[in-house]
Amino acid sequence: MPAYAYKGRDSLGRLVDGVLEGSNPGAIAELLRERGLIPVDIRESKSKAAKSISSLNVTLFRQRISPVDLLLFSRQIHTLLKAGVPVIRALSGLQDAAINPEMKRVIHEVRESLEGGRELSQAMAKHPRVFSAFYLAMVRVGEATGLLEDVFFRLFEHLEFERYMREQVKSALRYPSFVVIVMAVAIVIVNIFVIPAFAKVFAGFGAELPLMTQLLLGFSNFMLAYWPFMLAGVIGAILAFRAWVGTVGGRYTWDRLSLKIPIAGKILHKAALSRFSRSFSLGLRSGVPVMQALSNSAQTVDNSYVSRCVESMRESVERGESLLRAAITAGIFTPVVLQMIAVGEESGAVDDMMDEVGDMYRQEVEYELKTLSQQIEPILIVMLGIMVLILALGIFLPMWDLGKVAIKR
C-alpha cells in the first residue's frame, strides 16, 4: 500500500501531521475522521530519490497542454456534471480518457487534492500554467452558486471563442505579415548592397548631393558599421519589454496603452468587455451579490486596466451608488451599454441586459476580426508607397540633376 503524509486538526484546533498507509487519499481521510481529526492536507509520501527522479522526468519530458486539451476538458466535465456524476468520479473518468499524458497528470493531481478536502478551484490553482486566472475565477463563481456545470459550459464557449479569435487573427495577419517581412528584407538588401554601389557612382559626381540621398547614404553606412549593435539593441529591447510587462505596474500601463492601438485596440477593448459582461451576468443570474459578482468578474477580463476599472465600479456600488452611476464613472462602456444597464436596473433584469451586452460585444469582435485584413491593407500600401518614394527620390534625384547638367552643356 502507498504511504500518505497527512495534516489534520484535532478537537482543540491543533495541527497534527504524520504518515499513514492506505489504498487512496479517501481511505486516509476516513481513518483520520475515525481518530477525531479533521483532514487538512493529504499527499502521497515519496522518497527524496523518487521525487528527484520524478522531477527530472517531468522537467525533461513534459508534454505541453494545448488550448484544445483544456477546451475538451471543459466540455467533457460539463457533460458529466450535467448528467449528475460527482466531481471526483468525473475527474477519474476524464483522467482515464485523456490522451495527453501531461493533461492526465494534471487531472490526477486535481482529483487527489479534491479527495484531500480541497475545493476544486484551490486544486486547479496549483496548476497556473494550465488554468488561467480567468478560468479559476469562473470556477469560483460556479462553486459559490452551485452551478459548476453551467460555468464549465460557459468556459467551453469562452475557450472556443478564444480559439476562433486566434485563428481569425492568424488568418487576417498572414498577408500583412508577409508584406512586412518582405519590406524588412528589402530594406536590409538595399542598404547593404544597392546603396553602397550607388554611393561609388555619386562620389564621382563631385557635386553636392540632395538631402534625401545624404540621409540614405548615412543610414546605409550606419547600418553597415553598427549592425551587430542594432541587432543586440532589438533583442535587448524585446527582453526588456517582456520583463517590464511582467511587473504589475508595467502590465497595467501596457494593458491601458494597448486599448489605444489603432485597429487592434478596439478589438481588445470589446473582447475584454464581452468577457466581463458574460461572467457578471452569470454571477447575478446565479444569485451572487452584486459586489462579489463584480469582484469575480474583474478577474475574468484578461486586462489589468479594465479589471481595475471594474474594481472601481465595485467600490462605487459599496458606497451606495447605483450600478449605472458606477459604470459611467468607470469610463469604459459605450452609451449604448450604459443605456442597457439603466434599463436593466429599472426592470430588475440586469443579468439579462448584461448577457445581451456580452453577446453584442462578441458579435462586434467577430465582425472586426473578419474585416481585420481589409483594415490593415491600406496602412501597408501607404507604408510601401512611402518606402518606394524615399528610395526613388534618394537614388534617382542625383541622376536627374546630373542629366539636366549634361543637357545644358
Side-chain angles (χ1 to χ4, degrees):
M1 279 190 172
Y4 291 90
Y6 68 86
K7 291 182 180 179
R9 294 191 180 275
D10 58 16
S11 58
L12 300 177
R14 293 174 298 190
L15 188 64
V16 180
D17 58 5
V19 178
L20 287 175
E21 289 187 353
S23 57
N24 55 58
I28 300 298
E30 188 64 30
L31 287 173
L32 293 176
R33 293 190 188 97
E34 292 176 357
R35 297 182 181 184
L37 298 176
I38 300 175
V40 175
D41 187 24
I42 300 175
R43 298 186 183 183
E44 185 174 358
S45 179
K46 297 181 179 179
S47 65
K48 292 184 178 180
K51 287 183 178 180
S52 62
I53 293 174
S54 175
S55 176
L56 180 62
N57 289 336
V58 167
T59 303
L60 295 178
F61 305 107
R62 177 173 293 177
Q63 185 174 345
R64 180 176 175 270
I65 295 178
S66 67
V68 176
D69 292 324
L70 190 58
L71 186 148
L72 293 176
F73 168 79
S74 304
R75 179 60 172 171
Q76 290 167 349
I77 196 171
H78 156 73
T79 303
L80 292 172
L81 293 178
K82 188 177 180 181
V85 179
V87 178
I88 295 179
R89 280 186 56 196
L91 290 173
S92 180
L94 292 178
Q95 177 186 337
D96 296 335
I99 299 176
N100 188 331
E102 180 63 14
M103 192 67 191
K104 187 187 294 288
R105 183 190 67 83
V106 169
I107 296 174
H108 172 71
E109 292 184 2
V110 170
R111 181 175 61 83
E112 281 191 337
S113 296
L114 278 177
E115 291 175 342
R118 293 181 180 271
E119 294 183 346
L120 182 60
S121 59
Q122 293 176 335
M124 289 180 168
K126 293 182 177 180
H127 306 278
R129 293 186 177 182
V130 180
F131 304 105
S132 64
F134 167 73
Y135 200 101
L136 294 175
M138 290 293 286
V139 173
R140 291 191 193 100
V141 171
E143 289 175 332
T145 60
L147 295 174
L148 267 178
E149 63 273 13
D150 293 337
V151 165
F152 278 114
F153 183 72
R154 285 300 184 99
L155 285 169
F156 165 75
E157 288 184 324
H158 165 72
L159 294 172
E160 181 69 24
F161 178 59
E162 290 291 320
R163 188 179 70 155
Y164 169 80
M165 284 183 60
R166 285 193 298 269
E167 291 176 351
Q168 288 294 317
V169 169
K170 287 180 182 179
S171 177
L173 295 181
R174 188 173 294 116
Y175 170 72
S177 300
F178 176 76
V179 173
V180 170
I181 292 173
V182 170
M183 288 173 59
V185 172
I187 290 174
V188 172
I189 292 175
V190 167
N191 280 282
I192 293 178
F193 299 104
V194 178
I195 293 181
F198 277 96
K200 297 177 181 178
V201 178
F202 297 154
F205 288 172
E208 184 178 356
L209 298 175
L211 177 62
M212 188 63 68
T213 306
Q214 295 180 25
L215 292 176
L216 280 178
L217 292 176
F219 182 73
S220 176
N221 293 332
F222 177 81
M223 190 171 181
L224 286 172
Y226 299 102
W227 70 264
F229 301 99
M230 294 177 65
L231 181 61
V234 171
I235 297 175
I238 294 173
L239 295 177
F241 173 77
R242 293 183 63 178
W244 173 66
V245 171
T247 63
V248 176
R251 169 57 62 180
Y252 173 81
T253 303
W254 170 247
D255 284 344
R256 179 172 57 84
L257 295 176
S258 65
L259 300 180
K260 300 179 182 181
I261 298 175
I263 301 176
K266 58 183 179 181
I267 298 178
L268 296 174
H269 188 197
K270 292 175 181 178
L273 293 183
S274 176
R275 296 190 190 102
F276 159 73
S277 302
R278 292 170 69 87
S279 61
F280 184 52
S281 169
L282 178 61
L284 293 178
R285 188 169 294 171
S286 305
V288 177
V290 175
M291 272 77 76
Q292 184 180 349
L294 285 171
S295 182
N296 291 337
S297 302
Q299 302 177 53
T300 67
V301 296
D302 198 24
N303 184 292
S304 58
Y305 171 72
V306 177
S307 176
R308 192 169 298 183
C309 291
V310 174
E311 287 290 349
S312 70
M313 287 177 59
R314 180 185 61 80
E315 295 171 359
S316 298
V317 173
E318 284 181 338
R319 291 194 298 266
E321 296 184 6
S322 66
L323 185 62
L324 174 62
R325 178 59 57 185
I328 294 174
T329 306
I332 56 176
F333 297 101
T334 61
V336 175
V337 176
L338 295 175
Q339 184 178 358
M340 296 184 73
I341 294 176
V343 172
E345 280 193 309
E346 292 178 4
S347 62
V350 177
D351 53 347
D352 293 333
M353 292 294 101
M354 295 305 294
D355 197 39
E356 291 186 17
V357 168
D359 290 338
M360 179 186 71
Y361 275 132
R362 175 171 179 167
Q363 292 173 4
E364 290 186 7
V365 170
E366 290 178 355
Y367 174 78
E368 294 287 352
L369 289 174
K370 289 179 180 178
T371 59
L372 182 60
S373 180
Q374 290 86 341
Q375 297 179 62
I376 293 177
E377 282 181 5
I379 300 176
L380 291 177
I381 292 173
V382 171
M383 291 175 57
L384 186 60
I386 292 175
M387 188 185 76
V388 172
L389 179 63
I390 292 174
L391 291 175
L393 291 177
I395 293 176
F396 294 110
L397 269 180
M399 296 184 177
W400 179 258
D401 293 341
L402 182 62
K404 288 194 296 184
V405 171
I407 292 173
K408 289 180 180 179
R409 291 180 179 178

